[in-house]
């Protein structure tokens, strides 16, 4: 038993080193790699992906995991969970032919550069063929894994949110649509002023960068164990809890874009930095499902970052880094950052209409997987759904179908995690308010109390506990959309004088 565990840990260490190398390559691809160097990086990506694949599917490792499964009652909690997760990964990987796995790994590494070029040139046709291949591979891999006659799209959803399926999501989105669309209509009819020139005031990107670093630190992101850089699409990457990297994108005439991007990514980054030390060196040393991960970023960005109390707490010291705050009345700032206006870009969307953006993507990727949507017609289908749900139509592919990097990275089935994250965030906030004066803490600038609350109940567990278990342990309930709906109604009814 001891020998088996020792060998298991050795192989896991090697796997983590390979996977960390892949993460570093991914970081390079999305931040500083020169355009002409990306082809070689894609080849290296494929090579290292096969190293990881071969390691996990090797006869030696498969037999080792089988032996540990037979003696799992002798394992501690962390070892049991790690062996369980690895067993599931082996089961999935063994069903994918090696050549196809390598080809797909190269494809998604290369496609992100193709997507970026297509986005910059506002031309979907440049990316269309790669996107077809990505969806084809995802469908093919899901079919390999389908042993229970599940819907193909449900298998892909399960990769990001275990136990989630399209039937549950259809009901979930229907309940959101039923409440959000009428509320949005009432807000549109409201006579409350909706113009805030400071949101588009020109601010030097160097000033933005300095303030964003201050903001991330203020929230609790540790720069001795983290990095902030710029990329075409903001993201957070965990190499290790002591090497957490996040990015934003700066727009000189949209300073609050990078501000809320950094608050969002800091939620992800703080989660990763607060993973328990007891999980270091294991496969559990990273954040849980994408739903719970997005709950942390959405919680920081919206529940905290768009609250009046947050800006009251940051105003005094924040002015030193962001002098433009001097000329903005704090109540005006609060209303401005909570302005509701249907928009084209998901990452710039207000808190209320954000889930409508996710519905567009959910319905499209589900339709493609089910054979109901032709990728050749994707731009016009995208535009049609944007008009239906948000009443706006993109003028070009860049502000339409090409705005998100997720499909280029192979993340088919990821988008619903954002909406689920918003619901989890509101549910957690409801519980947090029962235990502490959240607004008082924000006004005092003592965000460590909030960070510690989240760290103790969520972050330290990494992948040790499933999302459903974490939510039940904290709130006593399963996923419950009513807290999110109530939160939105209460907040925006006050802002727009709807009562």
């Amino acid at each position: 038993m001891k020998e088996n565990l020792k060998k298991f840990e050795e192989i896991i260490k090697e796997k983590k080193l390979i996977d960390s190398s892949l993460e570093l390559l991914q970081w390079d691809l999305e931040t500083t790699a020169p355009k002409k160097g990306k082809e070689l990086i894609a080849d290296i990506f494929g090579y290292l992906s096969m190293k990881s694949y071969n390691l996990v599917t090797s006869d030696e490792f498969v037999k080792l995991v089988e032996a540990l499964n037979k003696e799992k009652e002798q394992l501690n909690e962390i070892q049991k969970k790690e062996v369980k997760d690895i067993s599931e990964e082996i089961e999935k990987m063994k069903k994918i032919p090696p050549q196809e796995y390598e080809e797909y790994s190269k494809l998604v590494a290369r496609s992100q550069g193709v997507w970026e070029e297509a986005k910059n040139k506002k031309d979907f046709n440049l990316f269309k063929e790669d996107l077809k291949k990505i969806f084809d591979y995802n469908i093919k891999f899901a079919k390999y894994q389908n042993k229970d006659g599940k819907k193909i799209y449900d298998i892909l959803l399960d990769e990001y949110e275990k136990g989630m399926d399209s039937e549950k999501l259809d009901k979930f989105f229907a309940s959101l649509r039923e409440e959000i669309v009428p509320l949005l209509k009432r807000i549109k009819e409201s006579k409350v002023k909706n113009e805030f020139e400071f949101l588009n005031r020109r601010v030097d990107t160097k000033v933005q960068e300095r303030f964003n670093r201050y903001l991330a630190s203020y929230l609790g992101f540790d720069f001795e164990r983290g990095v902030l850089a710029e990329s075409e699409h903001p993201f957070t990457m965990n190499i290790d809890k002591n090497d957490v990297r996040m990015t934003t994108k700066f727009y000189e005439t949209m300073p609050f874009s990078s501000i809320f991007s950094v608050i969002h990514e800091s939620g992800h980054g703080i989660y990763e930095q607060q993973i328990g030390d007891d999980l270091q060196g294991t496969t559990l040393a990273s954040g849980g499902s994408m739903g719970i991960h997005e709950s942390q970023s959405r919680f920081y960005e919206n529940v905290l970052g768009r609250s009046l109390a947050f800006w009251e707490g940051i105003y005094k010291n924040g002015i030193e880094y962001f002098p433009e705050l001097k000329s903005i009345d704090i109540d005006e700032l609060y209303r401005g950052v909570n302005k509701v206006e249907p928009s084209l870009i998901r990452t710039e969307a207000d808190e209320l209409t954000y889930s409508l953006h996710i519905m567009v993507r959910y319905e499209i990727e589900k339709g493609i997987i089910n054979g109901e949507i032709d990728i050749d017609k994707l731009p016009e289908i995208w535009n049609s759904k944007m008009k239906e749900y948000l009443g706006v139509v993109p003028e070009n592919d860049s502000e339409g179908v090409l705005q998100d990097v997720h499909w280029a990275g192979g993340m088919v089935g990821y988008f619903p995690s954002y909406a689920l994250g918003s619901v989890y965030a509101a549910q957690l906030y409801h519980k947090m308010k029962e235990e502490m004066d959240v607004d008082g803490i924000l006004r005092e600038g003592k965000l460590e109390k909030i960070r510690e609350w989240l760290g103790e109940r969520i972050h330290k567990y990494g992948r040790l506990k499933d999302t459903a278990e974490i939510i039940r342990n904290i709130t006593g309930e399963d996923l419950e959309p009513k807290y999110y709906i109530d939160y939105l109604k209460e907040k925006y009814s006050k802002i727009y004088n709807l009562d």
Side-chain angles (χ1 to χ4, degrees):
M1 182 66 172
K2 286 183 179 178
E3 288 181 10
N4 283 345
L5 275 174
K6 183 181 178 183
K7 186 62 179 175
F8 177 81
E9 289 169 0
E10 287 173 356
I11 294 176
I12 289 299
K13 182 178 181 180
E14 184 178 354
K15 181 182 186 301
K16 284 179 70 67
L17 289 172
I18 295 170
D19 292 346
S20 293
S21 299
L22 285 165
E23 295 278 16
L24 289 168
L25 278 174
Q26 186 68 40
W27 173 265
D28 195 43
L29 271 173
E30 296 196 49
T31 54
T32 58
K35 181 179 177 180
K36 290 190 175 180
K38 291 184 178 182
E39 196 68 39
L40 175 59
I41 292 176
D43 287 341
I44 299 171
F45 206 93
Y47 172 78
L48 288 175
S49 294
M50 287 311 299
K51 285 285 187 183
S52 182
Y53 174 96
N54 290 332
L55 196 64
V56 169
T57 58
S58 67
D59 289 342
E60 178 190 18
F61 190 59
V62 171
K63 289 176 182 176
L64 185 61
V65 172
E66 288 173 350
L68 290 172
N69 266 315
K70 289 176 183 177
E71 301 180 273
K72 60 185 176 184
E73 295 310 314
Q74 300 179 49
L75 302 177
N76 62 36
E77 183 185 21
I78 292 174
Q79 292 165 343
K80 281 180 183 177
K81 176 63 171 168
E82 193 170 23
V83 169
K84 177 178 178 291
D85 286 357
I86 284 291
S87 298
E88 291 176 0
E89 185 176 351
I90 289 171
E91 187 68 20
K92 291 174 183 176
M93 298 285 269
K94 282 174 66 179
K95 292 176 179 177
I96 301 174
Q99 184 180 351
E100 290 182 7
Y101 185 80
E102 183 174 14
E103 288 170 353
Y104 179 69
S105 299
K106 288 181 180 179
L107 172 65
V108 294
R110 187 182 65 83
S111 291
Q112 290 172 74
V114 177
W115 162 80
E116 188 172 336
E117 181 181 4
K119 182 184 177 186
N120 289 334
K121 292 182 177 178
K122 304 175 183 178
D123 186 356
F124 175 71
N125 288 321
L126 296 175
F127 178 56
K128 181 173 65 177
E129 295 307 316
D130 273 20
L131 186 60
K132 286 180 181 178
K133 291 176 186 176
I134 287 169
F135 269 91
D136 285 346
Y137 270 114
N138 273 272
I139 292 168
K140 189 186 298 185
F141 292 171
K143 285 180 177 177
Y144 291 153
Q145 296 166 21
N146 193 2
K147 59 182 179 182
D148 301 317
K150 291 175 68 175
K151 294 177 181 176
I152 296 301
Y153 187 58
D154 290 349
I155 294 170
L156 297 172
L157 289 172
D158 200 65
E159 285 290 312
Y160 302 102
E161 194 69 13
K162 200 172 251 327
M164 189 53 60
D165 59 45
S166 50
E167 183 179 351
K168 291 176 185 175
L169 283 174
D170 286 343
K171 292 177 182 176
F172 166 68
F173 281 126
S175 68
L176 291 186
R177 189 186 300 112
E178 185 179 328
E179 298 287 350
I180 291 173
V181 173
L183 180 58
L184 177 60
K185 184 175 184 294
R186 290 181 66 201
I187 287 172
K188 283 182 177 179
E189 295 169 352
S190 168
K191 295 180 181 179
V192 174
K193 187 182 102 171
N194 206 23
E195 295 301 322
F196 304 94
E197 61 83 21
F198 65 84
L199 293 174
N200 300 107
R201 187 179 298 169
R202 189 177 297 277
V203 177
D204 187 89
T205 56
K206 293 296 182 185
V207 174
Q208 292 186 44
E209 183 178 1
R210 187 172 69 244
F211 181 60
N212 284 338
R213 284 185 63 85
Y214 163 75
L215 254 183
S217 295
Y218 179 79
L219 293 167
F221 185 76
D222 181 359
F223 277 102
E224 289 192 358
R225 299 185 291 131
V227 171
L228 175 62
E230 187 172 11
S231 64
E232 181 63 31
H233 194 101
F235 68 94
T236 298
M237 176 178 289
N238 167 35
I239 312 298
D240 178 84
K241 71 176 290 182
N242 294 313
D243 187 352
V244 179
R245 305 179 182 204
M246 58 185 188
T247 70
T248 188
K249 181 154 178 78
F250 296 109
Y251 300 94
E252 199 170 62
T253 58
M254 294 170 58
F256 284 88
S257 173
S258 65
I259 286 172
F260 282 100
S261 170
V262 165
I263 297 175
H264 178 100
E265 299 304 334
S266 292
H268 284 306
I270 290 166
Y271 186 172
E272 295 292 349
Q273 289 184 337
Q274 294 204 125
I275 301 293
D277 289 335
D278 58 338
L279 299 180
Q280 287 301 94
T282 74
T283 57
L284 310 178
S286 63
S289 75
M290 289 301 99
I292 195 70
H293 225 308
E294 293 299 343
S295 80
Q296 300 306 283
S297 58
R298 303 295 289 166
F299 178 84
Y300 270 90
E301 177 190 356
N302 294 319
V303 176
L304 300 185
R306 295 186 194 274
S307 70
L308 179 60
F310 175 80
W311 288 99
E312 288 174 335
I314 207 171
Y315 234 67
K316 184 177 179 181
N317 293 329
I319 286 175
E320 177 186 342
Y321 297 90
F322 195 49
E324 284 72 12
L325 288 175
K326 291 177 183 177
S327 61
I328 307 172
D329 175 78
I330 194 165
D331 291 317
E332 188 82 348
L333 174 61
Y334 171 65
R335 291 194 301 274
V337 299
N338 287 291
K339 172 183 177 180
V340 172
E341 183 175 52
S343 62
L344 294 168
I345 308 299
R346 174 186 63 85
T347 54
E348 309 296 342
D350 60 77
E351 188 178 12
L352 182 64
T353 63
Y354 185 88
S355 289
L356 300 179
H357 285 263
I358 301 306
M359 287 184 211
V360 168
R361 289 150 177 80
Y362 167 64
E363 292 183 4
I364 284 176
E365 64 180 13
K366 183 174 67 168
I368 294 172
I369 295 298
N370 294 341
E372 299 160 355
I373 290 178
D374 184 348
I375 287 178
D376 285 327
K377 299 178 180 177
L378 204 49
E380 58 191 84
I381 292 169
W382 180 285
N383 294 355
S384 173
K385 287 189 176 292
M386 287 294 290
K387 184 177 182 179
E388 177 186 356
Y389 287 148
L390 288 136
V392 294
V393 180
E395 291 186 5
N396 57 65
D397 293 340
S398 181
E399 61 185 24
V401 68
L402 288 173
Q403 65 180 269
D404 295 307
V405 71
H406 302 65
W407 290 336
M411 292 183 283
V412 179
Y414 185 106
F415 281 115
S417 303
Y418 288 111
L420 293 171
S422 294
V423 175
Y424 285 137
Q427 201 167 339
L428 292 167
Y429 179 50
H430 178 80
K431 186 63 178 178
M432 185 184 286
K433 287 194 297 181
E434 293 179 351
E435 299 182 15
M436 64 175 74
D437 178 9
V438 177
D439 280 353
I441 289 168
L442 290 172
R443 288 190 190 99
E444 293 173 4
K446 296 181 178 178
L447 274 80
E448 68 275 4
K449 293 182 179 180
I450 292 171
R451 189 176 71 250
E452 288 165 5
W453 192 94
L454 294 169
E456 188 61 29
R457 288 161 178 77
I458 300 172
H459 302 168
K460 74 177 186 180
Y461 293 113
R463 294 183 180 274
L464 180 61
K465 295 182 184 295
D466 291 335
T467 296
E469 181 184 0
I470 287 174
I471 295 298
R472 277 196 300 269
N473 287 347
I474 296 172
T475 69
E477 299 177 282
D478 291 319
L479 175 72
E480 181 48 76
K482 74 183 177 98
Y483 295 107
Y484 180 50
I485 291 166
D486 289 347
Y487 160 81
L488 290 174
K489 281 184 171 180
E490 180 183 354
K491 178 175 181 176
Y492 287 97
S493 292
K494 288 179 181 178
I495 292 173
Y496 283 89
N497 296 334
L498 301 181
D499 295 330

